[in-house]
């Protein structure tokens, strides 16, 4: 009996060893410490800094035959050393040394000094000086006191503080009643690995026919849907099969949702509502150049020959050496990367062509929040109502731009300097680019009719300056452009590209769906539904037109009827100007048949003929939310209830969704602030504009979307005495190089 028991014992040991070896070789369960370093896109300044995006699968080292865009990036973009950077302007971002100093100061003081390793930095950025200090500063003068703004978590509590870098003083600030700070990249990374430590999750994935080594997961913010979700940071994780494609988004393990405690990494619950739904095919989903075109000598080009705009004399814009001030063709502005907003444009001034005076246009402009609700109320989808700036960090998700493809030749690149969760600094290279754009557009023109007898043909080319960043927020890519024109106009454009978030279905053709069943979207391919969703991008625009004290004017256009016998005409359009006295007067919902213009004027400055100087917001294509205002996502995203809001300037009111967006209830939003109905006439005011998209997916969006764009303009209205580019020169043949194709010149 004893020998038999001993043999059985040896057999069990041997079986366990074999099982362990089998598990390690086939399943490839991740080792968090090692894999985290592989996943994170870090440099020498921090061992843990940032991820590619929300996707947290193991990445392999690219081979020498990897995509052309990657090689272009490495060969065309210079690597800049930021170790000796110093601030040159009051609004310059914190340097590597300043971030390290702020971290050291905070960790050395109570309560944080009791356990420094327990401090998690969610935000560590410049606390900007007050506007009056910035306005009064001139180049060569000492900088205002440099302070850091910190949002941190320590032993389960959230803190908002400022750190005086000179004195070392900490100032504690109030925090919102609900919600949590923006997730760190480490939060996202660790959350996507955590379900693989749960046996029930692994069994469920294997039962769906997916190898654990092929699993790719996304951390999905849960929103807020009641008290049961309060008191701890929760996150939902959904997964995909990456077998056979880089585009795993097209292969969802539909209906499988893990609810996770983000702090403890405990799996709270697993919902499996997708049994019977197959994993969509991988064929035809890859979008990479080598997968689409193949590695032949003459890949298809759609009949297009290469095109490039050359500047043999170099670009016309200047960027201050080692700094952030940009000057070009009568414009001057400060430009910097930001971990939450993406890119911030500040101190925008235009040179008056008549007087040469630099005149204020805007103190600060940036993306304040993005709201992306999906229109599927089912168990695995109802919570997908992202706020990409406040939950994920719009700038944290910005990837290095690709030279010659994201930005043309002669572009200038700016890096972002951010803090990791441990407070150590790192550099996000090539996050912003600046370049001049000429697309054959016309700045102004006039040709005189032959009947006048005057042979006049005058035209001027339109050259503009672009400041661009792009964020890859998991599947979606956002392109943000600030375009400065020589006529004083600023065009702000948002482009959407990337990959749809899709839903698995058991059906492969439209005729297989039950009649009258709501599928919440469009069938795009076999077993794949593109779910309907919206995008709202809310901009914070602190316009200071010729000074800080401005007014908001709604110029209403309406039909006016003529009196009988007064004119052969029976009607005409009349413009009526209404100055908004309080915030509620300036809450605007766009109406096609009740058109208006929206002016920000300086009533104390007028042109020579008496018009108040100003700028106007000119909306282009946009969309409005159709959700119930009491729907929990819309309550949190109530800043999209109007397309325009105007509030008095308040340095604490920057983020339309609130300081703490993650799991917030919506008590600290632009809509709540504006309910106070504060006075805004002849005040320092901020205009908020929301640009929107309704997206009903179509097959042309599969497997990757062509870019779709929308924009709005900030246009001068009586700001100048006349056309500011009247004296702009035309192009002459002698001034332009003649480029000859290499094949033709051989």
């Amino acid at each position: 009996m004893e020998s038999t028991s001993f043999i059985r014992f040896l057999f069990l040991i041997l079986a366990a060893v074999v099982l362990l070896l089998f598990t390690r070789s086939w399943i490839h369960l991740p080792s968090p410490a090692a894999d985290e370093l592989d996943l994170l896109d870090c440099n020498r300044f921090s061992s843990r800094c940032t991820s590619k995006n929300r996707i947290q699968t193991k990445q392999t080292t690219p081979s020498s035959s990897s995509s052309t865009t990657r090689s272009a990036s490495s060969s065309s973009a210079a690597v800049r050393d930021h170790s000796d950077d110093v601030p040159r302007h009051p609004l310059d971002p914190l340097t590597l040394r300043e971030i390290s100093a702020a971290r050291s100061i905070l960790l050395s003081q109570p309560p944080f000094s009791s356990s420094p390793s327990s401090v998690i930095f969610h935000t560590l950025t410049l606390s900007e000086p007050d506007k009056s200090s910035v306005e009064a500063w001139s180049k060569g003068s000492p900088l205002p006191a440099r302070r850091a703004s910190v949002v941190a978590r320590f032993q389960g509590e959230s803190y908002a503080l400022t750190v005086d870098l000179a004195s070392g003083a900490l100032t504690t600030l109030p925090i919102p009643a609900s919600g949590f700070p923006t997730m760190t990249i480490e939060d996202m990374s660790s959350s996507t690995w955590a379900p693989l430590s749960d046996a029930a999750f692994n069994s469920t994935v294997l039962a769906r026919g997916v190898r654990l080594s092929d699993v790719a997961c996304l951390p999905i913010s849960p929103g807020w849907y009641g008290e049961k979700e309060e008191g701890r940071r929760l996150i939902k994780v959904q997964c995909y099969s990456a077998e056979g494609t880089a585009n795993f988004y097209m292969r969802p393990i539909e209906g499988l949702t893990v609810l996770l405690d983000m702090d403890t990494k405990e799996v709270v619950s697993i919902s499996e509502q997708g049994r019977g739904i197959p994993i969509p095919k991988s064929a035809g989903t890859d979008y990479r150049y080598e997968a689409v075109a193949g590695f032949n000598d003459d890949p298809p080009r759609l009949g297009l020959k290469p095109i490039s705009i050359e500047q043999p004399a170099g670009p016309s814009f200047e960027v201050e050496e080692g700094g952030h001030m940009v000057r070009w063709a009568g414009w001057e502005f400060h430009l910097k990367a930001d971990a939450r907003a993406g890119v911030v444009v500040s101190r925008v001034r235009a040179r008056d062509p008549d007087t040469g005076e630099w005149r204020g246009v805007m103190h600060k402009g940036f993306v304040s929040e993005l709201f992306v609700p999906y229109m599927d109320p089912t168990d695995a989808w109802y919570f997908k109502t992202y706020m990409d700036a406040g939950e994920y960090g719009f700038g944290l998700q910005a990837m290095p731009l690709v030279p010659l493809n994201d930005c043309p030749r002669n572009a200038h690149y700016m890096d972002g300097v951010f803090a990791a969760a441990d407070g150590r600094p790192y550099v996000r290279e090539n996050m912003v680019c600046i370049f001049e754009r000429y697309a054959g557009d016309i700045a102004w023109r006039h040709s005189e009719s032959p009947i006048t007898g005057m042979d006049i043909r005058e035209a001027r080319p339109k050259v503009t300056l672009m400041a661009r960043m792009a964020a890859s927020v998991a599947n979606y890519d956002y392109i943000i452009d600030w375009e400065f024109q020589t006529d004083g106009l600023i065009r702000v454009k948002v482009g959407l590209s990337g990959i749809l978030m899709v839903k698995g279905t058991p059906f492969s053709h439209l005729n297989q769906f039950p009649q009258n069943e709501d599928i919440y979207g469009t069938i795009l391919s076999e077993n794949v539904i593109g779910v309907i969703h919206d995008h709202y991008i809310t901009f914070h625009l602190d316009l200071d037109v010729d000074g800080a004290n401005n007014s908001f004017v709604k110029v209403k256009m309406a039909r006016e009827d003529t009196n009988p016998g007064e004119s052969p005409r029976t009607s005409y359009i009349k413009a009526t100007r209404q100055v908004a006295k309080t915030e509620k007067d300036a809450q605007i919902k766009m109406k096609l048949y009740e058109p208006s213009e929206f002016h920000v004027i300086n009533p104390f400055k007028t042109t020579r003929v008496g018009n108040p100087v100003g700028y106007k917001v000119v909306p282009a294509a946009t969309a409005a939310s159709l959700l119930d205002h009491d729907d929990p996502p819309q309550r949190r995203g109530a800043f999209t209830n109007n397309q325009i809001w105007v509030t008095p300037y308040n340095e604490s009111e920057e983020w339309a969704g609130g300081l703490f967006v993650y799991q917030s209830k919506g008590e600290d939003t632009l809509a709540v602030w504006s309910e106070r109905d504060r006075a805004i006439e002849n005040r320092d005011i901020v205009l908020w504009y929301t640009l929107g998209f309704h997206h009903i997916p179509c097959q042309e969006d599969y497997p990757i979307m062509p870019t779709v764009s929308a924009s709005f303009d900030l246009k001068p209205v009586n700001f100048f005495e006349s056309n500011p580019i009247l004296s702009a020169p035309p192009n002459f043949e002698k001034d332009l190089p003649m480029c000859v194709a290499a094949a033709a010149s051989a």
Side-chain angles (χ1 to χ4, degrees), residues 217-239:
C217 297
L218 300 182
I220 300 174
S221 54
W224 182 85
Y225 292 92
E227 295 181 358
K228 64 180 181 180
E229 299 179 356
E230 294 179 2
R232 57 178 173 174
R233 294 199 305 155
L234 298 172
I235 193 164
K236 295 193 175 184
V237 179
Q238 292 186 333
C239 301

Side-chain angles (χ1 to χ4, degrees), residues 85-86 88 92 319-324:
D85 283 0
V86 294
R88 301 167 182 265
D92 279 359
V319 180
E320 183 179 278
E321 181 66 28
H324 297 265

Side-chain angles (χ1 to χ4, degrees), residues 49-69:
C49 54
T50 187
S51 68
K52 301 295 184 187
N53 45 32
R54 288 186 214 157
I55 313 157
Q56 298 302 334
T57 55
K58 174 93 169 174
Q59 302 292 323
T60 58
T61 302
S63 66
S64 60
S65 60
S66 60
S67 74
T68 56
T69 55

Side-chain angles (χ1 to χ4, degrees), residues 327-491:
R327 295 179 183 87
W328 174 83
W331 283 109
E332 178 182 79
F333 57 92
H334 187 274
L335 185 69
K336 66 180 176 183
D338 183 86
R340 182 162 177 171
V343 64
V344 177
V345 180
S346 303
R347 290 288 288 144
V348 180
R349 299 196 297 172
R351 186 190 290 274
D352 192 295
D354 297 322
T355 66
E357 173 191 4
W358 285 103
R359 301 170 60 190
V361 174
M362 183 170 66
H363 178 72
K364 189 176 183 180
F366 58 91
V367 172
S368 178
E369 191 53 86
L370 301 93
F371 178 42
V372 188
Y374 281 76
M375 304 303 166
D376 184 337
T378 59
D379 180 77
W381 281 81
Y382 73 89
F383 51 87
K384 294 181 182 179
T385 55
Y386 306 106
M387 292 194 185
D388 286 327
E391 293 177 335
Y392 293 91
F394 197 45
L396 291 180
Q397 309 302 323
M399 297 294 104
L401 295 163
V402 181
L404 304 182
N405 294 277
D406 281 330
C407 311
R409 201 186 306 275
N410 287 327
H412 173 88
Y413 293 86
M414 282 188 180
D415 299 337
V417 178
F418 302 146
D422 61 3
R424 300 181 190 278
Y426 68 93
V427 176
R428 170 59 48 77
E429 296 176 349
N430 301 335
M431 180 175 161
V432 180
C433 73
I434 308 162
F435 60 92
E436 286 169 295
R437 177 180 181 270
Y438 174 61
D441 295 330
I442 301 169
W444 66 261
R445 79 173 313 280
H446 179 66
S447 294
E448 196 55 62
S449 170
I451 63 174
T452 67
M454 293 186 289
D455 184 16
I456 298 176
R457 295 193 303 275
E458 293 283 340
R460 303 293 184 269
K462 176 182 281 190
V463 178
T464 63
L465 184 72
M466 306 287 287
R468 171 173 293 170
M469 64 83 63
S472 300
V473 191
N475 54 307
Y476 254 101
D477 288 60
Y478 293 87
I479 305 111
I480 306 295
D481 286 338
W482 289 82
E483 182 177 20
F484 293 83
Q485 302 189 8
T486 53
D487 59 2
L489 182 144
I490 304 170
R491 176 161 294 160

Side-chain angles (χ1 to χ4, degrees), residues 461-541:
K462 176 182 281 190
V463 178
T464 63
L465 184 72
M466 306 287 287
R468 171 173 293 170
M469 64 83 63
S472 300
V473 191
N475 54 307
Y476 254 101
D477 288 60
Y478 293 87
I479 305 111
I480 306 295
D481 286 338
W482 289 82
E483 182 177 20
F484 293 83
Q485 302 189 8
T486 53
D487 59 2
L489 182 144
I490 304 170
R491 176 161 294 160
V492 185
K493 185 167 71 172
V494 177
L496 306 180
S497 188
I499 302 168
L500 290 172
M501 182 164 283
V502 302
K503 179 176 184 174
T505 175
F507 306 115
S508 59
H509 195 279
L510 188 60
N511 63 14
Q512 296 174 345
F513 288 89
Q515 192 173 8
N516 300 323
E517 178 178 308
D518 193 342
I519 64 173
Y520 310 111
T522 306
I523 184 168
L524 304 177
S525 183
E526 291 79 1
N527 310 114
V528 175
I529 293 173
V531 177
I532 297 169
H533 57 283
D534 288 346
H535 298 265
Y536 300 103
I537 302 92
T538 297
F539 287 83
H540 174 287
L541 304 167

